[in-house]
Each structure stands twice: as C-alpha cells, then as structure tokens.
C-alpha cells in the first residue's frame, strides 16, 4: 500500500468535514425517527383515517417513505464512520481496492470515497452486467 498524497492540513480539513457530515446525519436521523414514531402512533391508535382523505398520502406510503429515508441516513452514517476510521488509522485517501492515492478532487466531491476513480468505474461496470 502506498501513502496518501494528502497533507496534514488536508487531513484536518476532511476530518472536520466528515465530523460535520456525521452531526448532520445524526440530526436528520433523529428527525426521521421522530416522524416515523408519529406515523406509527397515529396508525396504532386509530386516529388517522388515511383511506378517506383523497388529498393526502396514505399512512403506509408515508411510513414506507420515512423507512427508506431512515435506511439511507443509516447508510450515509456508516460511510462517514468508515471514512473517519480510515482517517484515524492512516488509510484515508487510499483506494481500498488497489491501494493507490485517491485524488483530492475526488475526495472534495465525495469525502467518503473508498475507491479511486478507476476502481469505482470497474466496480460499476461489473455490477451493470
């Protein structure tokens, strides 16, 4: 494995960026959990009559949407935590597949990137088949 081409300032920058993203995802997760709890409560106590409201979405649709958003937030949190772990162990900025440095431009666009562009393209092509 080679070493990352990121400077100490770059690493601090990405650490700060990732920690802010983590805080944002945790706040979003808390909001989604609260909304999901409200939907469950309304559904379980029978006060919500979503079948007779032609203008509103059904409770099932809202529940499904919130569950999907919650799963997306959990996946984002996992990606951020993984990037923070790589930052802590010195592997941040290195491709998990080939070990080459991930260009700063890619990390600027996607701070949680695990793969360099070439490996990400190969993986995308393999999954498309």
């Amino acid at each position: 494995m080679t070493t990352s081409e990121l400077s100490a300032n770059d690493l601090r920058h990405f650490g700060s960026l990732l920690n802010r993203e983590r805080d944002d995802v945790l706040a979003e997760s808390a909001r989604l959990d609260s909304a999901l709890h409200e939907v469950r409560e309304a559904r379980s106590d029978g006060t919500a009559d979503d079948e007779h409201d032609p203008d509103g979405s059904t409770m099932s649709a809202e529940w499904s949407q919130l569950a999907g958003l919650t799963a997306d937030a959990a996946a984002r949190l996992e990606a951020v935590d993984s990037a923070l772990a790589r930052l802590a162990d010195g592997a941040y900025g290195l491709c998990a597949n080939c070990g080459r440095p991930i260009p700063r431009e890619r990390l600027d666009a996607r701070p949680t990137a695990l793969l360099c562009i070439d490996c990400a393209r190969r993986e995308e092509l393999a999954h498309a088949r």
Side-chain angles (χ1 to χ4, degrees), residues 3-6 11 86 90-95 99-103 107 113:
T3 59
S4 171
E5 295 177 348
L6 299 172
L11 294 173
R86 291 191 308 278
Y92 185 79
L94 297 174
C95 180
R100 291 182 310 206
I102 298 172
L107 293 171

Side-chain angles (χ1 to χ4, degrees), residues 7-125:
S7 69
N9 283 340
D10 290 337
L11 294 173
R12 279 192 295 278
H13 164 75
F14 286 113
S16 177
L17 186 72
L18 289 164
N19 279 306
R20 280 194 311 272
E21 176 69 12
R22 188 175 198 284
D23 290 344
D24 290 348
V25 173
L26 288 173
E28 180 183 354
S29 292
R31 183 185 58 77
L32 290 168
D33 285 345
S34 177
L36 195 53
H37 177 75
E38 288 176 19
V39 169
R40 284 185 189 125
E41 285 292 313
R43 191 170 188 189
S44 68
D45 70 9
T47 59
D49 183 13
D50 64 348
E51 291 183 29
H52 297 98
D53 182 3
D55 296 327
S57 64
T58 65
M59 297 299 282
S60 295
E62 192 169 341
W63 186 331
S64 179
Q65 179 184 26
L66 288 169
L69 291 171
T70 299
D72 288 346
R76 285 185 16 236
L77 183 61
E78 184 178 326
V80 168
D81 284 345
S82 176
L84 286 168
R86 291 191 308 278
L87 194 65
D89 71 13
Y92 185 79
L94 297 174
C95 180
N97 188 43
C98 69
R100 291 182 310 206
I102 298 172
R104 164 84 194 234
E105 295 79 20
R106 176 157 171 77
L107 293 171
D108 283 334
R110 190 172 175 175
T112 59
L114 189 58
L115 302 174
C116 67
I117 293 278
D118 291 338
C119 289
R121 284 185 183 140
R122 280 192 291 275
E123 188 172 291
E124 187 175 304
L125 286 173

